[in-house]
Amino acid sequence: MDEEKLAPPSAGAATASIDVALSALPDVDPSSPAHPIHWHPAKKWSITVVYSLLQTFVALSTTTFVSAEPLARARYDSSTQVVALGQSMFVVGTAVGPAFLGPLSDVGGRKWVYVGSIAAYALLNVGAALARSLAMLVVFQLLAGAAGSTAVTNVAGTIADLFGDADGAAQPMALFVVSANYGPGIGSPVGQLIAENENMGLPWVFWINVIIGGAFAVVLCFVPETLPRAVILEAAKKHGSADGSDAAVLEPRVDLLREARFVTSMAFRIMLTEPVVAFLGIYNGFAYGLLFLYLDGVFDVFVVNNGLSPLSADLTFLNVVVGVTIMFAFVPVQTWFYKRDRGRNGGVGRPEARFLTSLLFVWGFPVSLLWFAFTCDGSVSFWSPVVAGGLLGFCDPLLWLAMLNYIADSYTNVAASAIAAFLIPSFLIAAACCHLGILMFDNLEAKWAMATLGFVSFGLVALIYVLYFFGARIRSWSKLARKH
């Protein structure tokens, strides 16, 4: 491969560059008997559940530290904003990791990327537990976030390996979204329990990650590889023969570092040149950031205004768990609408049809936030803002799932890179929200802090409607997006 082909292409050369990337990582014929798509459903779902639990565990780390921040302030004698770097840098790490771990798993296989990165995650938490200064803690959190991001980066790809087309993968992908939301919902109460236990303290926030992360690293050694190319190659070697698609897979791979570098650059190129992906990433960052903004307001809303204990206040965050569970049960309804739309469109699925139910439920963002804002002052039962948060816990994951499917449908040739391009700004904005929330609740009443977020979220409503009605036209201007 020439260096010229590895250089960032001009708009006119974009299609040729994509062809280079695809030739480097050729598709595998799904009709091959060894393809993971043909494995027994019980085996496929077992693998999906294991990796979803991994996602829950890593996502839990994003909020466990928040409840233990008072311990960190006392231990390191620092301000709230400085201590919050321990959380925000972890989130920044999850933004950096996908740009490298995703391409690495596409080139060499997913299994050992999982094992190696989660083992590294466990070891890095040892450093966080033993950190002698806040700066050391922040650095270890940043690196741990990057290592742990494999759960975000690769689980969606693993599901695609196992279930193939978007219809077959709809419910497993919904389980992935559920697992990503269970972790933060559980993490805050867990952090509070650790903070209140006199025999544990701040280091145990990280020692628990070491224990569970180490156990996962061992278990994942026994989970089979799912990257189709690697699986078919292994099957061909085992049987001593190869034909058809297997022959293509067995072709020697050269310059793997160059190929990984190219795929990595594609993620950043899409982020900078594809407005659809960029805007979805920005607004998903806002939606993800609500998680941390909510946590920053828990004390004011439920302890100060409603008289709950700190642990009881953190338990209100389980409304997210309830909301996302209901979302998982609702996904077949969206799948039915999508299939009906495809039938009416001559059998061709429109990416915009992924937003059919979101046209209604995206209104849940401003409604739930304004509902929360104007009932959180203690004048009514605390159950009112709890239920409002539960509504957001339903609408947010449903829209996130729609965004993931929309991007995968629109950028079929570079789907992994497009999703990475979508996630990078999402996590960076969420990291900023870790600090923005502190400022908002320090300088505004809880009511007006949440109301401000509610008014801003009307922009998200507008974005979804623009994509639904004008998405096909916008895709026609792109050199990368699917046109039909």
Side-chain angles (χ1 to χ4, degrees), residues 41 70 126 133 146 168 197 298 321 362 414 424 473 483:
V126 173
S133 67
N197 191 317
V298 159
V321 174
V362 71
V414 286
I424 290 170
R473 183 179 301 175
K483 302 301 188 296

Side-chain angles (χ1 to χ4, degrees), residues 294-454:
Y294 181 95
L295 282 173
D296 287 327
V298 159
F299 187 86
D300 286 346
V301 171
F302 293 106
V303 177
V304 176
N305 293 352
N306 288 278
L308 300 182
S309 69
L311 179 58
S312 296
D314 281 319
L315 286 173
T316 64
F317 205 62
L318 293 176
N319 58 2
V320 174
V321 174
V322 175
V324 75
T325 301
I326 297 172
M327 184 281 300
F328 181 75
F330 177 81
V331 166
V333 176
Q334 164 58 33
T335 302
W336 180 84
F337 275 109
Y338 176 78
K339 289 181 177 179
R340 187 181 69 167
D341 183 88
R342 185 177 60 189
R344 292 177 174 179
N345 197 40
V348 178
R350 296 186 306 124
E352 289 73 30
R354 297 295 182 184
F355 293 116
L356 280 168
T357 55
S358 294
L359 291 174
L360 171 63
F361 290 109
V362 71
W363 289 97
F365 274 83
V367 168
S368 62
L369 289 169
L370 293 174
W371 175 4
F372 187 102
F374 293 107
T375 62
C376 73
D377 59 2
S379 60
V380 298
S381 170
F382 71 88
W383 282 106
S384 181
V386 168
V387 174
L391 174 61
L392 185 64
F394 170 85
C395 298
D396 183 4
L398 183 67
L399 184 58
W400 187 38
L401 180 60
M403 289 179 177
L404 288 174
N405 285 328
Y406 180 83
I407 292 171
D409 286 355
S410 298
Y411 298 87
T412 51
N413 288 336
V414 286
S417 296
I419 289 176
F422 163 71
L423 291 176
I424 290 170
S426 297
F427 289 136
L428 292 177
I429 293 171
C433 287
C434 297
H435 300 276
L436 177 62
I438 296 172
L439 291 174
M440 290 181 66
F441 285 96
D442 281 350
N443 294 285
L444 297 171
E445 294 179 23
K447 175 172 68 176
W448 291 110
M450 296 301 293
T452 299
L453 298 174

Side-chain angles (χ1 to χ4, degrees), residues 29 65 86 93 163 206 310 469 483:
D29 184 359
F65 181 77
F163 294 92
F206 309 107
F469 289 106
K483 302 301 188 296

Side-chain angles (χ1 to χ4, degrees), residues 12-44:
T15 302
S17 297
I18 294 170
D19 291 339
V20 172
L22 293 177
S23 66
L25 300 173
D27 290 333
V28 176
D29 184 359
S31 66
S32 172
H35 196 292
I37 200 173
H38 301 299
W39 289 352
H40 192 279
K43 180 178 181 179
K44 295 194 292 184

Side-chain angles (χ1 to χ4, degrees), residues 36-37 41 44-45 48 158-170 172-173:
I37 200 173
K44 295 194 292 184
W45 272 101
T48 302
T158 298
I159 291 172
D161 296 340
L162 296 171
F163 294 92
D165 65 272
D167 290 344
M173 191 66 77

Side-chain angles (χ1 to χ4, degrees), residues 149-164:
S149 69
T150 189
V152 178
T153 306
N154 291 351
V155 174
T158 298
I159 291 172
D161 296 340
L162 296 171
F163 294 92

Side-chain angles (χ1 to χ4, degrees), residues 62-131:
T62 62
T63 54
T64 303
F65 181 77
V66 179
S67 297
E69 281 183 353
L71 299 178
R73 289 199 299 271
R75 179 170 181 172
Y76 298 113
D77 191 24
S78 296
S79 67
T80 301
Q81 282 284 13
V82 176
V83 167
L85 285 169
Q87 178 196 19
S88 62
M89 287 301 101
F90 183 92
V91 179
V92 169
T94 63
V96 174
F100 304 98
L101 294 176
L104 183 61
S105 72
D106 285 336
V107 171
R110 309 202 192 281
K111 175 176 179 174
W112 297 111
V113 173
Y114 278 120
V115 174
S117 59
I118 296 305
Y121 176 79
L123 292 174
L124 289 165
N125 271 276
V126 173
L130 300 176

